[in-house]
Amino acid sequence: MTHPAEETADAGRGPANPGARSPGAGPGRRSGLSAAEVAERVARGQVNDVPVRSSRSVGEIVRANVFTRFNAIIGVMFGIILVVGPIQDGLFGLVIVANTGIGIIQELRAKRTLDGLALIGEARPQVRRDGSVQQIAVASIVLDDTVLLGTGDKVVVDGLVTEADGLEIDESLLTGEPDPVLKHPGAVVMSGSFVVAGAGAFTATKVGRQAYAAQLAEEATRFTLVRSELRSGIDSILRFITYLLVPAAIGLIVSQLAVERHDWREAVRRMVAGIVPMVPEGLVLLTSVAFAIGVVRLGQKKCLVQELPAIEGLARVDTVCLDKTGTLTEGGMDVVELRPLAPAGQPARPVPAEPAVLRRALGAMGRADARPNPSMQAVIDAYGGPDGEDGWRVLEAVPFSSARKWSGVQFLEPQGGEASWLLGAPDVLLPGDHPALGEVDELGARGLRVLLLGRSPLPLDAPDPAGQLDPLALVVLQQRLREDASATLRYFESQRVEAKVISGDSAVSVGAVASHLGLPGAEHPVDARTLPSGTAELAEVADRTAVFGRVTPQQKRELVGALQSRGRTVAMTGDGVNDVLALKDADIGVAMGSGSEATRAVAQIVLLDDRFATLPAVVAEGRRVIGNIERVAGLFLVKTVYSVLLAVLVVICHVPYPFLPRHSTVLSSLTIGVPAFFLALAPNTERARTGFVRRVLRLAVPGGVIAGTATFTAYMLARADHATGLEADTSVATLTLFLMAMWVLALVARPYTPWRLALTGAMGAAFALVLWVPSLSRFFELSLVGLRDPLVGVGIAVLAGILLEIVWRFVVRRTEES
């Protein structure tokens, strides 16, 4: 198939590329490069070899999820148990497999989806080589290749135009400017733009990593993890625990070897039993599970979450930076008004300027346009009808051109007259003193696009068809707004999340769109060309301004950084290469699925169906995850605190550690792991707040101290009864600690609902089965002997529970006040 450029370009169109560097291979040649010249450039490395990378590699994903501090701690303890046995004391090692598997599977799932999107959007450009047109892969383009362009083609490398026939390039993904740019021979074209009209050819002057889009995307390909308060808080706790583990392990193993002089294996097992509960392994696992389930839920809404903690990050966001094009607006325009104009000192018109006549004329003009641009398509949508229904006969048609700024159709009118009807820019078609230009300026200040409809008796091939133009009406258009944009902005406002529109379009136009959607502060837009260069001054302007226009890609990045310097948590949405750097620097990057590959690679969240209205669902899901994780985190950290306290008391008192690893496993599972899993999935609409670790420790520290003290007291009293053995003493301590942990669970589960009460009751019944079913009690080495010691343990647990209740009420009151 012949490319449009082959049909329209002639040998004399356009100068040879002034940047040609290869003798005998002039980039303006009609034949293009020869096979030998292509091979020569490939050998020199002058090929477009930028790898398409949409996410982390499989190896990076596996390494990031396997080599963690959590896995290192638990893995070492599990390895020790494998040596000393028995295997039932190593059940805690299964948490490593579960936690690591969830992280790897989730990221691989996101990688597959993104890689598929990259392949779907991959272009197959046509080049001229050896005098013929060939379709090749993007990576096969070499320096000085002649690349052909037609309507809809993507510019895949940088170059200089050598042939052009009405060639218009949309550079909105690079600059944010929505209007296409008319290109002449010698003009620069940049990768990432695409053809909206005409045909032509260009010579590749920059390929590979030298191309403009590749340079912008280069930094984006370096994968960075989203900042997560939950994850960083948990990591801080793990880091602190790591520092405690070495002295605690040394103290425990020395004390246990001294106590268990004739059984070093028992001493090691009890040392591991003291170390493992200090690590809140279930909290790490549960956080991953909660995030993963949140990701699945959002996936059902066509929202791809590339990193598990990203939904938490967006829930904490207090500022959302929006790109107008593709976020608040969608492709196309709408006619909002047809405003007839009164005659300006002219004789009676041969065709009345009645709205019905004007609408029919506009519809006929739309039908005559074979390649309507967005403005003409809006006219067609508003006034177009079946061809020939109203008697307007087309004699000649001239399509819109950025150079002319108007389109025209010569009609044989229904009344029998013949005239040219023009539709275009009012400031081009009207004299500078025409009164209608005042109306045009007023409408333009509101961000509306205005076209003039006029009638001329001159034919379209006259030197100046508009020379005797009778202006009939103003056609007022506006960019098509997303139906859900206004409701989404209102949601953010109700949640005290400030929205800021940052666009490459004119400030007035962006402000008008934002005002129409009801964005607070949109009536005072700022042109980015007037922004201060100082960091502090820029932060001040960014903090108080809601709308920015004419923003360059680097300025988008600087505005995000300026907002972050004021303590804001910033999310950035975008779809074009010009958004990449800002998306990367933002706390959360949100990309549109139909946007460029670079934006999808760097963003943490991808809206696959391009629906801006999905963001509130992401925020709500993040808040559910954060609220519930904070609710149950106290369960895990109470365990950490009482484990540390028990280890210290055991070393000081020089007694056997009360538990084996299997006891810690059953206690953690029934009082923390299983109930926390269900609690973490419950509905929760609490607003996300900072200070996760501080609030959790307000319960964990006193709760852990009370539980550890009560358990050790019951254990020591049981040891004072010399008629019972170590297994019976351990069983009393296990019973006491279980009751205390259940009390903590009852506090965390409030307010009670039927399913929460049933959950708590089920955990109690499960522990009773462990105690009373012989096979289970033998497996876990639990045996209550007599009545005195168990009843003493229950009594101590009740008294400690009452004290815990008092502390809880005080903590809740302090938390609400803060």
Side-chain angles (χ1 to χ4, degrees), residues 55-69:
S55 56
R56 286 198 285 186
S57 68
V58 174
E60 289 173 328
I61 291 173
V62 172
R63 285 194 298 272
N65 284 277
V66 171
F67 299 107
T68 65
R69 180 180 287 106

Side-chain angles (χ1 to χ4, degrees), residues 68 144 215 270 327 411 441 494 539 551 638 687 755 778:
T68 65
D144 294 330
Q215 288 178 342
R270 292 192 177 264
T327 303
F411 285 117
D441 292 340
S494 68
V551 185
V638 162
R687 177 177 169 82
W755 73 265
R778 284 195 301 272

Side-chain angles (χ1 to χ4, degrees), residues 323-379:
D323 183 29
K324 176 181 70 69
T325 306
T327 303
L328 301 181
T329 63
E330 55 188 7
M333 308 186 78
D334 293 310
V335 176
V336 294
E337 184 183 1
L338 179 61
R339 184 178 295 187
L341 297 175
Q346 296 185 15
R349 290 165 168 162
V351 176
E354 296 176 356
V357 175
L358 299 177
R359 286 193 293 267
R360 285 194 291 271
L362 285 168
M365 293 183 72
R367 292 192 297 272
D369 195 333
R371 288 184 187 171
N373 60 19
S375 298
M376 183 59 78
Q377 188 59 52
V379 170

